[in-house]
Amino acid sequence: MATPVATPAAAPDSAAVLTVLTTTDAGEKADALARGAVAARVAACAQISGPVTSVYRWRGEVVTEREWQVLFKTTAARFEALAEYLRAEHDYETPEIIATPVTHGDPTYLAWVVDETRPE
């Protein structure tokens, strides 16, 4: 007999879940941002990728830099708290904070994101 899989009583609306992207210039900083956001329950989890090459215009110059990306999973209800955390903890003058709605996802995973970002 197969082991039953726990399913949430009411699956959350997938649009309530967001991925939020930021970048920073060092792996250690990316780790600190990720751990701090998860500890503060403003993100359920975060993945760190890098280094990546970023090319952007800054103060009239085209700049190429090595950066690390941090992709957070949170809810629309917790987005402002996550953005506030990132603005306070990030050392960039203008940190990248971009949210993308999750349009589809496994209901159990989406429920986990909601549960893990509820304020204590």
Side-chain angles (χ1 to χ4, degrees):
M1 177 184 274
T3 305
V5 175
T7 56
D13 177 8
S14 62
V17 176
L18 306 173
T19 60
V20 178
L21 181 67
T22 195
T23 55
T24 190
D25 60 1
E28 299 79 17
K29 292 178 185 178
D31 185 67
L33 289 171
R35 289 182 165 278
V38 172
R41 298 184 74 90
V42 295
C45 65
Q47 285 82 38
I48 300 167
S49 301
V52 298
T53 301
S54 295
V55 180
Y56 55 94
R57 182 176 298 280
W58 186 249
R59 298 187 176 160
E61 301 288 327
V62 175
V63 180
T64 301
E65 297 287 345
R66 195 166 97 160
E67 294 185 300
W68 280 255
Q69 293 180 326
V70 187
L71 185 65
F72 301 92
K73 309 309 183 324
T74 194
T75 61
R78 296 293 278 158
F79 172 76
E80 281 305 323
L82 175 58
E84 190 174 301
Y85 164 81
L86 290 172
R87 286 189 291 268
E89 298 299 321
H90 209 295
D91 65 345
Y92 282 13
E93 182 180 331
T94 306
E96 175 181 16
I97 304 172
I98 297 175
T100 304
V102 173
T103 62
H104 296 79
D106 177 76
T108 304
Y109 181 81
L110 299 176
W112 174 80
V113 172
V114 171
D115 288 344
E116 294 304 315
T117 55
R118 279 197 179 98
E120 290 185 299

